Structure formats: structure tokens, C-alpha cells
Amino acid sequence: MDSVFGYTSEHSGGSLRTVRIIILAACITFIAGPYRLSIAADSSATGIDAAQEQYKTGKYAECLESTRKAIENGAYAAEWRALTIKSLVALGQYDKAADDMDIVLLHYPVSMRLLELAHTVYLHNNQPGRANDAINRLVRVGTSRDLRFMSPGDLVALGNSLLLLGEEPRVVLDELFTRAIKNDPNCLDAYLAAGDLALAKQDYELAANQYRDALKRFGKDPDVRYGLARAFYQNDRSQMIQLLDAAIYINPNHVPSLLLLAEHQIDCEDYAGAEKLLDKAIAVNPWHPEVWAYRAVLAHLANDSESIRSSREKALKFWPANPQVDYLIGRKLSQKYRFAEGAAFQRQALKYDPNYLPAKIQLAQDLLRLGNEQEGWRLADEVHTGDAYNIEAYNLSNLHDHLSKFTTLQAEGFVVRMDKHEADVYGDMVIDLLQKAKTRLCEKYGAQLDTPVVVELFDNQQDFAVRTFGMPGGEGFLGVCFGNVITANSPNAQRPTNWKALLWHEFCHVVTLNLTNNKMPRWLSEGISVYEELQRDPTWGQQMNPEYRGMILSGKLTPIGRLSAAFLSPPTPNHLQFAYYESALVVEFLIERYGFESVKAILADLAKGQEINTTISKHAAPIKDIEQQFETFARKRAENLAPEVDFEKPDKDQFDPADYVMLLEWVQERPNNFWALTLYAKALLANRKWAEAKEPLVKLIALYPQYAGDDNAYRLLAEAHRQLGETEQEKNVLGKLAMISSDASYAYGRLIEIATEENDWQSVVKYGEKSMAVYPMLAQLHWQLGRANEELGRGEQAVKSYQHLLLLDPADPADVNYRLGRLLQHKDPSGAKKHVLLALAEAPRFREAHRLLLKIIDETREPAASESSVPNERTIFQEDMQ
């Protein structure tokens, strides 16, 4: 027997009368069936295909009528019964489906596919006992058979049932679903089951591969396209929408596709669009639980308590203990950053089914994002223990182990967790920055934070992604705020970013999310945070640039009412950055035109649950007027960017970017073209024509002095000056770049180098502090700051820099310890002595350190009565030296 499942039902009981009825019905079917089926076989073969086509294309009522007529005319094949019941379920006629199922199971008591369908039907009729009995009977039948001789459809039904009962997913996939596909490559249900299993375990790549394989054979099946769309939900919304459009084209009444599109519209904050899609779904199935669950989500977002209650009641009408309803409502609320409300729904779902793992892992994430970490980590571990294939739980469990090694820094109002090594080097700077942000922003917005803000800085990007999203990935994100919890990447030398600007931005989210009870659209939250970056430091935040200028002037502004959608599925990373910029520009426009108090009033209304466009109209102007006014405002800003510059981009194949002779011809035709001048200068530099490159670069700076992006003229011109030995000019050019950029690490480093050579210690400190805001883990930087502060007589700052330097494996630890000893000899003699001894341990012949140690011993030695007869520390040390 080729069966790997030794399953014994815990619900194998049943009345003797029921068993007798089932046996009798089976005998009647066996005696009478063959004759009647043989009569109908030929006439129904094409009929079942036509009926299945009706079902596939969404003609459920017609399919129901076709199957009923066929059965009345003697078509007794199980497929007809199954199609009848599936049509009733699709139309929301769950009670009628149960009635039919009762009769069908009398005729087909051991049909595995009908028993699988019975489980669904009975659940939707609030008959969980009968649903369990159906699954248990199916498994008893399936595990008593030889898998080699089971039909592919039965293998799939058995696999799905075993998964419900907790069987090992890998075994089910390999022994049942894969076997079914191997036995019959045209078994659609097997591909769908394998894809669904991968999705359930968050393995989206594997799921996509399964559905793609199905698409090659079943391109006109809406379920296949819908399944592949689900696989793209997390990372490619444009592809998802194309697939859903195709599914709905095949089947305009495909409720799963309509619901996934509605969910996407909710994510985009297009609630009116979501309502329309839900109306279409209700017209097909007026009692679909997920339809009404999404209705409840929209009611929550509209602060409509009566609609929340009525929608949820309708969602639970036929299955009052359906955990999926509250799970779905809670999940969507959490995606809107309303974690407390989301967590409450997950707890309700778990009351219905304590083993419903989707609700448990979602609750774990909600609690972790709310700062309730003890329970959150416990639940994540429970899910991992209960389902070793749940990728999200597995990732969180591993992350928990890693986080236990982090150092925790505590200050008033903050709990900061970060890598111990990094915490020792710049943790105090993190605390200082956060406290300044709290003082300034809370006072400005009138916010009061009653609980500490948790900030976690990850030195590993994938750990950040798992903590933030539950999955690896998210390379484009630097930080995320959930309300009172901030997660962020720590500074990375390979990706220069101003970490101070990042934390200021994220803490501003803390303020606005608390003020609105997490009830604000993403665009406004991001817009205020970027705006406040610029208020803190004009070099922070987003600036107008040639790409943004082109997008605005070419009509690519997103209307304010749909601006949050721009963050969801941007076609390129640049489009995502433009969404941040546009959002900040909207906030600047509102404040400039209607005053800062209007923005505070909008936030107050959002906290009460009012809709964003309504409250903007209330405190500023009607949203249509606002959008028109803002477009004018944005266009003017774009047009005023370097007005004498020609920003028209050449075609990529118009010329060779390395051919400076050809580029010169183009520059002569377009003398003020930004791209031509830049490419021409770069080509000259590449050909080591340093002096010739200066002319186009000087012109670029004169035309567009505020540009600090990639390949900016300042950096290119500084390189030309450096190669020509023109240090003073190089310093001046880089100094201008440092004034307009918050992350020009190359410029800061070179300016520090020049200033050190010139003994310009004030400049070393100035640019060193700027460089610390980009990457504070550079040993050379701490050495330079220590030396500069020492020369300037700033002993305390110098000590701190040298102490940090010792943590970064300096090239000459003996010299660093010696300098610390010299700085500490009067304020902390014992500490000074320790550092000098460490210097001597590294370099025993370090004479200056010997002298300093003797001096420290002399200054700290206390005279004794018998001084002349008792050898002192200095005497012993001198004897040792001899």
C-alpha cells in the first residue's frame, strides 16, 4: 500500500441508523446507477463541459439551471452534483447548498471531492460538527487507498483535507499535489492547491511559479490568474492589477478577483472605488463573508459605528464563528496603522478558533508594533512551534534571538535598542537627537506622549525588514514608524544617508500619528515629516531637482485625493521619491496659503475620524479648488528651478557619452543644456583633460548652483582642481557643496583632510560633525575629531572622540591611549594611568608614555611618615625601567 498517512479520526462516531442509510443508498446507486448513467453518458459529456464553461465565465445562475435540468434528465455523475452545489455557493445560497449536499452524500458517501466540498458548505451553514465529519470521512477513505491508483482530483482533495488537520505541508505537497500533477499535467486543481499552500506559508516566489505553470495550460481560467495576482500582491501591484483585469474579463462575476481589487483600492485610500467593486461582488453573492468584512473595514475608516456593526453581522450571518471575518477586518485596520483596533479583532478571531494561525501571527505583529513585546514575541514563537513552515513566524523567531544581543539605552521618554558596538560609539548622539526632536516637535504641534518611544536601529538590513514587514526585502526603506515604535537601518558606509535626518523624520511620524490616533492618510503623514526635516535643516528632506521638475511640468502630479496611492505601487524608485516630495510640497502649500493652524486643525479632525478631503475643505478650501491651486503652486516652483537652464534630455542613442568631441558639438548647439554640459564635462574628466573640464562645470554651477545630486558639478569640478594641484580652489568648491548637501560624505572627508594639513581645526570639527551624521563608525573620523578638539583645547570632546576611536580598532592604539592619558591626568588620574599603561602594553618603548606615567605617579603619590624607608611606586617603576 503506497500510503504515507496513518490518520485515525477522532470523530468517527455516528448513529447506526445513519450508517445503514448510507450503505443502503450506496447499494441502490451501485445496482441502479450503471444502467441509468450509461444512458446519459454520451448526451451529458458535452453538457457537463458547457455547464463548467458557464461556471468558469461567471454565469452561475445559468450553470445552476443547466445542472438541475441535466440531473432531472438522468445525469447522475458526481460532477453534476458538485457543479450544482458550487453554483449555489457562488450565488450565496448556502442553505440550499446544504440541503442538496445532504441528499448528494446519500448517493455518493465516499466521493472525496464531494466530501471536501461538503466541509465548505457545512461551515457556511454553521454546522462545524458536520463539516469536521466530512473531512474526517474523506481522510479515512483516502488513507485507506493506494495513492498510486487514486485519481488526481482525489489526491488534491485528500491533500487539502490533511492540511486542515495539521499534516506536514511538505509531505502533502510532494506526495499528493506534485503526484497529482505528475499523473495528470492537466489537473488544474493540483496547481491551484500547490499555489495556495505556498501563499499560506508566505512563499510568494514558489506560489508564483506554481501559478505560472498553471497559466501555460489554463490561460483562460480566472482562478489561475487570480492566484498569480495574489502572489504579486506584496511586491508588484501593477502586475497584480493586470492579472485581475484579465480574470474579470474572463469572468465578470469572479468575486475573489473583485475583492482583491477592492482591497487594493482600500490600500490606495480610494474608498469610493472600493465601494463600487464591493457592490459588484454583492450583486453576485449577497452573503459573501469577505465582502461584508471589507464593508466593515470601510465603515471603520469612515468612523460609522452603525455600519461597522451591521456589516460584521452580515459577514457572520451563515457562519457566526468564522475567524476569517475578524482576521480580515483586523489585518486591514493594522495596514492602516490602527494596530490597537486591529489587535482587538485578532483576539476576537482567536476566541472563535484559538488555533487560527493567521490571526495569531497578525496579533503578534500588532503587539510588537504597539510595543507590547513580551506577548508579541510569545505569540510569534507559538506560531513557529505550531507551523514550522510559516515563514513570517520563522523569521520573527530568528530575529528575536538576534535582538536579545542588542544593547538597550534608556533616557527620558525613549528606549533605544541597537547593536552594542554601535551603541558604544554613537548611541549618546542618537539619544541627544531624539530628545531634541521631541522637545521641538511636541511643542510645535501640541503633542503629549504618555508612553516611551521605542527606537530600534538594525545594523543588518534584512533584520530591519523582518522586524518591520515580517519578511526580508524592503531595500528601498530606511525607517518606519508604527506610532510609538520606530524601526530603522543604522548608518551604512555603502549607502550614505543622513541618519539624523532619518530619525527626525520618523519621530515626526510619532507626533502626528499620536495626534490623530493613527487616523491619517499616508501622504499627509509623510508630507509633514519631510516638511519638518526641511524646517530643521534646509539640506535635509526632499529638494526640487531636474527629474521632479520634468514630472511636474509633464502633468505627472498625483491629485491630492489619490496621493497615498503613489506610495503603493510606484513604477520606479524615483516615482516613490517623487511621492514624498509632492506630499511635502502639498504641506508647504497648505501652510503658506492657509496657515500652520489650519494643518493642526486638520490633524485634530482626523483624530475624530473625519475624512481627509472633508476636513481639508473645512479648514482650507474645497478639495477640487485646493488641487487646482496646488498644481499652479507646484508648476511655478518647477518653472523657477534654474530658469536659464535647458533641461531637455537627449535620447540615449543620440551620441556616445564617452566621445567628448561629439558632445562638444551638441553643447555648442545647446549651450545651457544641463545634461549636455554634465556629460561633456564627465567625458573630459574621463580623458584626463582636467583644465578643459573646468569651463563647462563652472558654467553649470553658475546656471544651477543649488544642485547637489549625483554627478553634481561641484564634485566634478573639485576633482579637476585636485588633479591640477589647485587645493585652494578645490576647498572652496567642496565647501559650497557641503553647505547644500546633508550626505556629501566624499566632500566632508576631503575637506577634513585639507583642513588637517592646514591645521584648520575649526573646519575639521565643522565638517567632522557633518560626516558623523552620515557614517559615525569610521575610525579615521574619530581620530580627526579627537585631534582637532585636542588642539582647540576642548578636552572633554577630545576624550569622547578618542574613547570612541578605541572601539573601532585604530591603527595606533598606543598613541590614542597616550593622548587619553594626557587629557585625563588632572581630571581622572586613575583613568589616565590606566590608558598610559595600555599604551605601554602596546608599545613598551614609548618614552613619552613612560614620562607621562611617572608624572601621574608623582602627582598622585601621598607622602608617608616613613617615606624614606618604604619603596614607593615611582621607585619600583624606575628600577624596573633600569
Side-chain angles (χ1 to χ4, degrees):
M1 181 74 72
D2 190 20
S3 174
V4 295
F5 306 103
Y7 178 77
T8 302
S9 170
E10 296 179 2
H11 306 283
S12 57
S15 70
L16 180 61
R17 178 175 178 274
T18 301
V19 174
R20 286 173 176 167
I21 291 173
I22 291 172
I23 295 173
L24 178 61
C27 291
I28 292 171
T29 303
F30 176 76
I31 295 169
Y35 174 71
R36 299 182 65 177
L37 284 176
S38 65
I39 295 174
D42 293 339
S43 62
S44 65
T46 56
I48 191 68
D49 292 339
Q52 287 172 340
E53 183 67 17
Q54 288 176 324
Y55 183 86
K56 185 175 75 174
T57 55
K59 299 174 182 177
Y60 304 123
E62 292 91 331
C63 179
L64 180 60
E65 183 179 356
S66 298
T67 56
R68 290 229 187 271
K69 286 183 177 179
I71 292 170
E72 289 173 4
N73 291 331
Y76 277 89
E79 287 82 356
W80 287 104
R81 268 60 174 182
L83 203 51
T84 299
I85 295 170
K86 286 170 64 178
S87 297
L88 289 168
V89 170
L91 293 167
Q93 298 178 28
Y94 301 119
D95 49 354
K96 294 182 180 179
D99 292 340
D100 274 24
M101 183 58 74
D102 291 342
I103 297 171
V104 168
L105 288 181
L106 293 175
H107 293 278
Y108 302 95
V110 293
S111 169
M112 296 171 67
R113 280 171 280 184
L114 282 172
L115 287 168
E116 181 188 16
L117 181 57
H119 177 262
T120 300
V121 170
Y122 289 140
L123 281 180
H124 283 83
N125 279 273
N126 196 28
Q127 299 180 46
R130 298 188 69 187
N132 288 335
D133 288 345
I135 286 296
N136 289 328
R137 190 195 308 173
L138 188 162
V139 172
R140 287 198 305 274
V141 171
T143 54
S144 67
R145 295 179 181 175
D146 191 328
L147 298 183
R148 292 173 299 174
F149 305 116
M150 287 175 60
S151 71
D154 285 348
L155 288 170
V156 173
L158 178 59
N160 286 332
S161 301
L162 287 167
L163 288 172
L164 289 173
L165 296 173
E167 183 57 70
E168 180 86 2
R170 174 57 63 183
V171 173
V172 171
L173 178 63
D174 292 343
E175 294 294 333
L176 297 174
F177 297 158
T178 303
R179 183 192 291 262
I181 293 172
K182 183 178 179 181
N183 291 350
D184 180 6
N186 290 317
C187 180
L188 171 60
D189 288 343
Y191 294 99
L192 296 178
D196 289 348
L197 175 57
L199 285 178
K201 306 306 175 186
Q202 300 94 38
D203 193 336
Y204 303 112
E205 183 177 353
L206 176 61
N209 289 336
Q210 296 286 1
Y211 292 124
R212 286 193 189 100
D213 288 343
L215 197 61
K216 295 173 185 176
R217 295 176 178 272
F218 309 100
K220 294 183 178 180
D221 191 281
D223 289 333
V224 174
R225 294 185 178 274
Y226 164 72
L228 187 54
R230 290 173 64 204
F232 286 125
Y233 175 82
Q234 299 292 338
N235 54 21
D236 192 344
R237 291 293 181 95
S238 59
Q239 186 80 348
M240 180 195 80
I241 292 171
Q242 291 179 24
L243 288 161
L244 291 176
D245 286 344
I248 292 171
Y249 178 79
I250 297 167
N251 179 351
N253 295 322
H254 196 254
V255 172
S257 294
L258 292 170
L259 291 180
L260 190 54
L261 270 180
E263 181 171 1
H264 172 71
Q265 296 303 98
I266 291 172
D267 295 342
C268 294
E269 297 177 12
D270 181 7
Y271 304 133
E275 287 277 10
K276 292 177 181 177
L277 288 164
L278 294 177
D279 285 342
K280 291 182 179 180
I282 288 173
V284 179
N285 181 348
W287 297 110
H288 197 293
E290 290 185 35
V291 173
W292 290 106
Y294 284 116
R295 286 277 195 191
V297 171
L298 292 174
H300 268 280
L301 298 175
N303 204 33
D304 185 345
S305 57
E306 176 56 31
S307 185
I308 294 171
R309 183 195 59 77
S310 63
S311 295
R312 184 173 175 276
E313 282 182 0
K314 290 175 181 176
L316 297 170
K317 177 178 173 61
F318 283 91
W319 182 5
N322 183 356
Q324 188 178 13
V325 169
D326 287 313
Y327 161 70
L328 191 155
I329 296 172
R331 177 172 63 83
K332 295 313 297 179
L333 289 175
S334 294
Q335 288 175 359
K336 296 295 182 181
Y337 280 37
R338 295 166 70 161
F339 302 110
E341 295 166 83
F345 278 100
Q346 302 310 334
R347 292 190 190 279
Q348 181 59 54
L350 290 170
K351 284 183 181 179
Y352 292 145
D353 183 355
N355 296 316
Y356 190 62
L357 295 187
K360 187 173 286 190
I361 192 63
Q362 182 63 51
L363 178 58
Q365 287 281 31
D366 290 342
L367 295 174
L368 290 174
R369 290 160 182 169
L370 288 167
N372 187 349
E373 296 173 356
Q374 185 174 356
E375 186 181 3
W377 289 120
R378 178 180 62 78
L379 288 170
D381 288 339
E382 283 183 15
V383 175
H384 178 53
T385 302
D387 181 3
Y389 291 89
N390 187 295
I391 294 177
E392 188 173 359
Y394 172 81
N395 289 335
L396 286 173
S397 182
N398 286 343
L399 176 63
H400 190 201
D401 294 339
H402 182 64
L403 277 174
S404 65
K405 302 172 185 175
F406 272 27
T407 288
T408 299
L409 307 176
Q410 292 187 321
E412 185 178 355
F414 292 98
V415 176
V416 177
R417 298 192 186 97
M418 54 195 299
D419 173 77
K420 184 181 186 307
H421 186 48
E422 293 192 352
D424 291 341
V425 174
Y426 70 98
D428 54 340
M429 296 174 63
V430 171
I431 293 291
D432 180 64
L433 185 280
L434 289 169
Q435 289 181 325
K436 287 177 179 176
K438 181 179 179 182
T439 299
R440 179 164 174 172
L441 294 172
C442 286
E443 180 180 351
K444 181 174 182 178
Y445 284 87
Q448 181 176 346
L449 304 179
D450 298 323
T451 58
V453 176
V454 176
V455 180
E456 295 176 348
L457 295 175
F458 293 90
D459 57 323
N460 181 293
Q461 193 278 333
Q462 293 303 295
D463 286 344
F464 159 76
V466 169
R467 176 66 171 94
T468 306
F469 311 112
M471 294 287 171
E475 284 77 6
F477 289 87
L478 298 175
V480 172
C481 173
F482 298 111
N484 279 354
V485 175
I486 294 172
T487 61
N489 286 290
S490 62
N492 187 320
Q494 306 305 316
R495 186 171 59 178
T497 303
N498 192 300
W499 64 265
K500 290 188 174 183
L502 169 64
L503 288 183
W504 195 276
H505 177 107
E506 298 304 334
F507 184 79
C508 188
H509 281 309
V510 173
V511 172
T512 54
L513 289 173
N514 272 275
L515 281 173
T516 60
N517 299 320
N518 285 39
K519 297 177 182 179
M520 65 188 306
R522 182 173 179 183
W523 74 261
L524 182 58
S525 183
E526 298 293 358
I528 291 176
S529 284
V530 176
Y531 174 81
E532 287 298 342
E533 283 186 71
L534 291 163
Q535 297 302 299
R536 172 66 175 79
D537 186 328
T539 68
W540 291 1
Q542 292 272 6
Q543 311 284 346
M544 178 70 79
N545 62 39
E547 287 81 7
Y548 297 168
R549 176 188 180 276
M551 294 174 78
I552 292 172
L553 296 181
S554 62
K556 293 182 180 177
L557 281 172
T558 303
I560 296 172
R562 300 202 305 270
L563 189 48
S564 289
F567 292 92
L568 193 61
S569 51
T572 67
N574 195 51
H575 282 78
L576 177 61
Q577 293 305 311
F578 182 64
Y580 282 96
Y581 176 74
E582 183 182 345
S583 298
L585 202 59
V586 173
V587 171
E588 181 185 344
F589 162 76
L590 289 172
I591 292 173
E592 183 179 304
R593 187 68 58 89
Y594 299 101
F596 179 67
E597 292 302 317
S598 69
V599 171
K600 290 178 66 175
I602 289 169
L603 295 176
D605 280 355
L606 290 172
K608 299 172 186 175
Q610 294 190 22
E611 193 268 334
I612 179 62
N613 292 342
T614 302
T615 189
I616 287 178
S617 299
K618 175 182 174 183
H619 296 289
I623 189 65
K624 290 297 182 184
D625 294 345
I626 289 287
E627 289 180 339
Q628 291 176 0
Q629 294 170 15
F630 171 68
E631 183 175 357
T632 302
F633 175 85
R635 289 188 67 86
K636 184 176 180 181
R637 177 69 59 88
E639 290 166 352
N640 288 340
L641 178 72
E644 295 183 13
V645 174
D646 171 11
F647 284 105
E648 182 181 345
K649 264 190 173 183
D651 295 332
K652 289 184 179 180
D653 56 353
Q654 193 166 344
F655 43 72
D656 181 358
D659 187 345
Y660 65 87
V661 176
M662 184 184 297
L663 284 165
L664 176 59
E665 295 176 2
W666 206 68
V667 167
Q668 289 171 343
E669 295 176 8
R670 312 288 292 271
N672 288 356
N673 186 272
F674 174 80
W675 310 104
L677 287 168
T678 301
L679 288 171
Y680 177 49
K682 288 178 67 178
L684 289 170
L685 292 173
N687 285 276
R688 306 180 67 81
K689 295 187 176 295
W690 315 116
E692 293 89 334
K694 291 195 293 184
E695 181 181 351
L697 292 169
V698 169
K699 185 174 184 179
L700 268 173
I701 292 172
L703 288 169
Y704 187 3
Q706 63 269 47
Y707 183 66
D710 295 339
D711 292 332
N712 64 79
Y714 293 104
R715 178 167 182 171
L716 298 176
L717 181 58
E719 180 62 20
H721 286 310
R722 184 174 187 177
Q723 294 296 334
L724 292 169
E726 299 169 350
T727 304
E728 190 63 26
Q729 294 93 322
E730 178 193 3
K731 180 175 71 173
N732 290 337
V733 170
L734 290 176
K736 292 177 182 178
L737 175 59
M739 290 176 63
I740 62 173
S741 174
S742 66
D743 55 12
S745 53
Y746 166 82
Y748 305 150
R750 179 61 180 148
L751 286 166
I752 292 170
E753 184 181 329
I754 294 171
T756 301
E757 293 172 356
E758 297 177 349
N759 294 329
D760 180 4
W761 305 114
Q762 291 282 5
S763 292
V764 171
V765 172
K766 174 183 175 181
Y767 296 119
E769 289 176 350
K770 281 182 168 289
S771 191
M772 286 286 286
V774 179
Y775 187 60
M777 298 298 290
L778 191 64
Q780 177 70 9
L781 176 58
H782 289 277
W783 158 250
Q784 292 162 331
L785 281 170
R787 177 77 191 284
N789 282 310
E790 188 178 2
E791 295 290 342
L792 292 169
R794 300 171 180 171
E796 187 175 343
Q797 293 94 322
V799 167
K800 186 177 291 186
S801 293
Y802 287 140
Q803 287 174 336
H804 291 162
L805 175 58
L806 286 175
L807 300 170
L808 296 169
D809 192 22
D812 190 354
D815 181 66
V816 178
N817 276 298
Y818 167 73
R819 289 176 180 276
L820 278 168
R822 192 169 63 185
L823 289 164
L824 293 171
Q825 63 178 312
H826 300 302
K827 289 188 176 182
D828 181 9
S830 63
K833 182 178 176 182
K834 172 187 172 183
H835 281 292
V836 176
L837 289 172
L838 288 171
L840 289 169
E842 290 283 344
R845 297 181 180 277
F846 193 168
R847 290 192 174 276
E848 289 298 319
H850 283 293
R851 294 189 184 96
L852 180 57
L853 181 60
L854 291 172
K855 185 176 180 181
I856 293 170
I857 292 172
D858 278 344
E859 292 176 351
T860 57
R861 181 167 58 90
E862 295 182 6
S866 56
E867 184 174 337
S868 58
S869 60
V870 180
N872 59 43
E873 190 176 13
R874 176 189 174 96
T875 304
I876 296 172
F877 179 67
Q878 286 178 319
E879 290 174 355
D880 288 344
M881 288 180 62
Q882 295 171 359

